[in-house]
Amino acid sequence: MAVQDNLAAPPRTAFYNDPVIRGILYQVLVAAAVIVFFVWIIMNTAANLAAQNKSTGFDFLFQTSGFGISFSLIPFDRSSYYWEAFLVGLLNTLLVAAIGIVFATMLGFVLGVARLSSNWLIARFATVYIEIIRNVPLLLQLFFWYFAVLKAMPAVRESFELPLGVFVNQRGIVVPRPMPDAEITWVVVAAVLSIIAAIALVRWSVGVRAQTGHYPPFVKLGSRIAALVVTFLFGYLAFSLLGSVVPALGTNSLLPLVGAAALAALSLTTMGVYGRAFIGFAIAWAIGRFALGGMFGFMSELAIAAVSGLLALAYGWTLLGADRRPAARDSKFPLALPVLLIIAVPALIYWVTGASLAFEMPLLERFNFRGGLQLVPEMVALVMGLTIYTAAFIAENVRSGIQAVNKGQTEAAASLGLREGDRLRLVVIPQAMRVIIPPLTSQYLNLTKNSSLGAAIGYPELVNVFMGTTLNQTGKAIEVIAITMAVYLTLSLSTSAFMNWYNARVALVER
């Protein structure tokens, strides 16, 4: 019996009805249209420039600028070239962006956590801050900080004197200028390596504890020894600072050593919590008295000592309460060893190399300060505005990230005996980072691009110096705008690439 062939090939369609060929054809047509559009733009621009007798090219970068810049990280004057003006604007932009990102991140994380605090007052304060700041335009906030705050400061001769030789006036903030010698480079290298080693030690120890339930024995032994040394050092510092408040302690140089030794010995017993609380109280009292005395010089010594004593007492009581919680000692990582590593190694290198770090203190003369480092008010206002504004959005990112973590994770951590701070630091925040980082990247990009608003208050950043003064003097609009766009595009792509890499590192790995 003959078998009918039912598997015959379907009839072929015309090539212009083939979905694959039609898709390729559409893409070619779109690409050709885009190319033709840009060719038309370029030819039209070239014709218009030729009609106006304007040349193109980047040779203007090597011409003398002929103008000055009020704030520069590198030497610059009227005889400098335009490419040096571009470099000054770029460095000023990077400086503001870097400082703003660091402070906005710190402030944003604090506000984000504070908004979820069980303390009614702290949570409402964070809410009010966020709702007000993020709904007020950034440019208006920059004007407020520049014109209403910094420009309203007193004149130079009536500057506010703050602790550590810092002065504030309508010309900005004057701070001591660090003057390190050549050997300080080795101290910086040692400090960086010490921090890296301390982080590696902490990560490795935490990993071992996650697998075995215990920290490595030599880490625990080293931490006990380090705790002894750190307690002695901070105890000596505490008694020395108290010597400036209590004259009886300051007249005898042996008392701080004896007191520090007693506190170190006390740290080996169960009474060590009281020693740590005393050290915190003494240091906080001395710092508070120093800071309040600098800022409120019109107050009497007795009032300053009383206020700073109350603040220090509250701080010491907080330390005592935190250390006496049952779960604190078992779940807390022994930080004495990494702290001693970070402090001792650079100090040893500093002593061995004979390095010296001096500070040039600002000195008020007839019309202005001599010496020190002056931060112009435009820069201070821009950093404050960017930090405060961006922190409000980062706080919301942090809040949403924390709330995205399943509540069961917090309950499981609580069942293990972790206190609230450890639950947040060890369980909640690591899981929330996968939600926080993507919008956090956008905020970093916004802060960098918003730094161009500094042109509105006269800060010499890239847009002000290069797209403003340089473009007006040279008339090279296409070249100047192209370079500026390339800079911001490079900064944005670099930031995105770094944050994407970090996001991949902290992302949860599913098995």
Side-chain angles (χ1 to χ4, degrees), residues 219-274:
V219 172
K220 292 194 288 188
L221 178 61
S223 296
R224 291 193 184 96
I225 299 174
L228 196 67
V229 177
V230 170
T231 303
F232 178 81
L233 294 176
F234 278 95
Y236 182 78
L237 176 64
F239 278 104
S240 300
L241 291 175
L242 278 181
S244 61
V245 182
V246 183
L249 292 175
T251 55
N252 193 337
S253 60
L254 191 60
L255 285 179
L257 291 174
V258 175
L263 291 176
L266 194 66
S267 67
L268 298 177
T269 67
T270 56
M271 304 292 286
V273 293
Y274 298 101

Side-chain angles (χ1 to χ4, degrees), residues 396-405 428 431-436:
E396 285 298 88
N397 297 337
V398 173
R399 181 179 66 88
S400 62
I402 292 176
Q403 290 182 327
V405 177
V428 178
Q431 297 185 71
M433 290 303 289
R434 73 186 197 281
V435 179
I436 296 174

Side-chain angles (χ1 to χ4, degrees), residues 324-338:
R324 293 179 66 180
R325 293 181 181 179
R329 295 177 63 84
D330 298 332
S331 60
K332 191 175 181 181
F333 179 81
L335 286 174
L337 185 59

Side-chain angles (χ1 to χ4, degrees), residues 179-191:
M179 302 182 67
D181 59 0
E183 285 74 16
I184 205 71
T185 305
W186 298 108
V187 180
V188 175
V189 172

Side-chain angles (χ1 to χ4, degrees), residues 135-272:
N135 288 299
V136 177
L138 175 58
L139 185 59
L140 184 59
Q141 295 189 37
L142 293 180
F143 286 155
F144 169 78
W145 289 113
Y146 183 63
F147 292 107
V149 177
L150 295 175
K151 280 299 182 182
M153 289 289 174
V156 174
R157 296 194 61 82
E158 301 174 350
S159 302
F160 289 136
E161 183 177 0
L162 302 179
L164 304 178
V166 178
F167 296 88
V168 181
N169 54 56
Q170 61 183 204
R171 293 185 183 179
I173 300 176
V174 187
V175 300
R177 181 192 298 273
M179 302 182 67
D181 59 0
E183 285 74 16
I184 205 71
T185 305
W186 298 108
V187 180
V188 175
V189 172
V192 173
L193 294 178
S194 301
I195 294 174
I196 295 174
I199 293 175
L201 176 64
V202 172
R203 291 176 63 89
W204 177 74
S205 301
V206 171
V208 172
R209 185 177 185 271
Q211 294 179 352
T212 64
H214 304 283
Y215 291 113
F218 85 89
V219 172
K220 292 194 288 188
L221 178 61
S223 296
R224 291 193 184 96
I225 299 174
L228 196 67
V229 177
V230 170
T231 303
F232 178 81
L233 294 176
F234 278 95
Y236 182 78
L237 176 64
F239 278 104
S240 300
L241 291 175
L242 278 181
S244 61
V245 182
V246 183
L249 292 175
T251 55
N252 193 337
S253 60
L254 191 60
L255 285 179
L257 291 174
V258 175
L263 291 176
L266 194 66
S267 67
L268 298 177
T269 67
T270 56
M271 304 292 286

